[in-house]
Amino acid sequence: MAMKLRSVILLGLALCAGAAPAMADNIAEKVEVCAGCHGADGKPIDKTIPVIWGQLTGYVYIQLRDFKRGDRKSEIMQPIASAFERDDMLAIAEYFSQKKWPDLGQPRAPKDVSKKATDAEHSVGCTGCHLEQFQGSSTTPRLAGQSREYLEKTMADFRTRARGNNPGMSDLMIATPESDLTALAEFLAGL
Ligand code: HEC
Ligand code: HEC
């Protein structure tokens, strides 16, 4: 009962004009730490760190939740995500999804690599979930223009189940030859 009353009051406050900037300040403080790795301009400081600017809200939220739960293992992200409650994670996900996806300047894949990647794409049907042009939707991530090195690493992690938060993606990656995954990473990075 007390919890319910509290949510009603919070909702009321959030709906009041004037409450929005305070909420925004709060989030701006919480995301300051992220820039140290994911980049102050959205370009990650290292190629094995993913782009999160412009990524889908639902997807970013699920990852933060899974890092906190330990379903997705990362010595770096787990302690960071553990500091957040569900509402923080939703607000942070919303914050990053509204940023513009950065151009990492990765080259388009050469013709032979593109062909190998699109053949693999057609046989698995990646775009059935990741959508045309790999723009993603809801809890399925955007892959277009993601860092090539990160894509390779995370697909390999799905394959070994080191990334175990989505068994369906692991099964798909295990069923796809490694050389196709290498081609897909290069192709997706260049989109
Ligand atoms: C010290 C560096 C560092 C900091 C600080 C950091 N991250 Fe990360 N982040 C990483 C690395 C490395 C990964 C990739 C983890 C892996 O899969 O191995 C990652 C992955 C993620 C992912 C998963 C993205 C995807 O495409 O799957 C999200 C979401 C994320 N971080 C959000 C955040 C947020 C939000 C903050 C700030 C509150 C933050 N990170 C701070 C290094 C960092
Ligand atoms: C049945 C739907 C489905 C299909 C088909 C599918 N994916 Fe996924 N994929 C997902 C979902 C959902 C996630 C998010 C998993 C999570 O929450 O960690 C994901 C995550 C990923 C990620 C992680 C991105 C990141 O930022 O960490 C990569 C890379 C990926 N998929 C590549 C592919 C490729 C390449 C194919 C085709 C060979 C493919 N997927 C086919 C649903 C799908």
Side-chain angles (χ1 to χ4, degrees):
M1 184 60 196
M3 270 308 286
K4 194 165 177 209
L5 185 62
R6 194 173 153 259
S7 336
V8 171
I9 293 171
L10 283 177
L11 182 65
L13 281 176
L15 292 173
C16 277
M23 187 76 150
D25 285 351
N26 191 5
I27 288 306
E29 258 170 42
K30 289 191 165 121
V31 299
E32 245 169 51
V33 58
C34 320
C37 294
H38 292 280
D41 55 356
K43 293 182 193 172
I45 59 156
D46 185 272
K47 289 177 173 164
T48 60
I49 301 176
V51 168
I52 58 171
W53 280 35
Q55 187 52 279
L56 292 141
T57 313
Y59 176 72
V60 171
Y61 166 70
I62 298 261
Q63 301 315 300
L64 293 174
R65 185 200 69 184
D66 288 355
F67 283 130
K68 180 172 181 171
R69 288 181 175 172
D71 288 348
R72 179 171 175 184
K73 305 238 176 325
S74 164
E75 281 173 14
I76 299 169
M77 283 307 301
Q78 183 161 6
I80 293 173
S82 296
F84 301 130
E85 296 305 327
R86 184 173 178 274
D87 288 354
D88 297 325
M89 293 181 192
L90 283 168
I92 291 169
E94 185 65 29
Y95 173 90
F96 283 111
S97 74
Q98 283 171 7
K99 298 274 189 188
K100 192 171 176 286
W101 186 279
D103 180 358
L104 302 187
Q106 301 175 112
R108 273 199 173 267
K111 270 216 173 75
D112 56 326
V113 175
S114 291
K115 181 164 187 323
K116 195 171 167 62
T118 43
D119 286 351
E121 191 287 289
H122 289 144
S123 78
V124 180
C126 318
T127 51
C129 298
H130 289 277
L131 298 200
E132 280 318 305
Q133 305 303 316
F134 292 90
Q135 295 297 306
S137 145
S138 176
T139 55
T140 306
R142 168 175 170 155
L143 304 176
Q146 182 57 277
S147 158
R148 176 179 168 182
E149 286 77 359
Y150 168 75
L151 286 171
E152 274 189 27
K153 178 185 178 290
T154 209
M155 289 195 285
D157 286 348
F158 272 131
R159 233 165 176 266
T160 59
R161 301 195 194 271
R163 178 169 174 179
N165 66 326
N166 192 301
M169 267 304 301
S170 287
D171 293 344
L172 280 173
M173 296 290 98
I174 289 164
T176 309
E178 248 173 313
S179 63
D180 284 355
L181 296 182
T182 311
L184 277 161
E186 185 171 352
F187 171 73
L188 293 168
L191 288 180

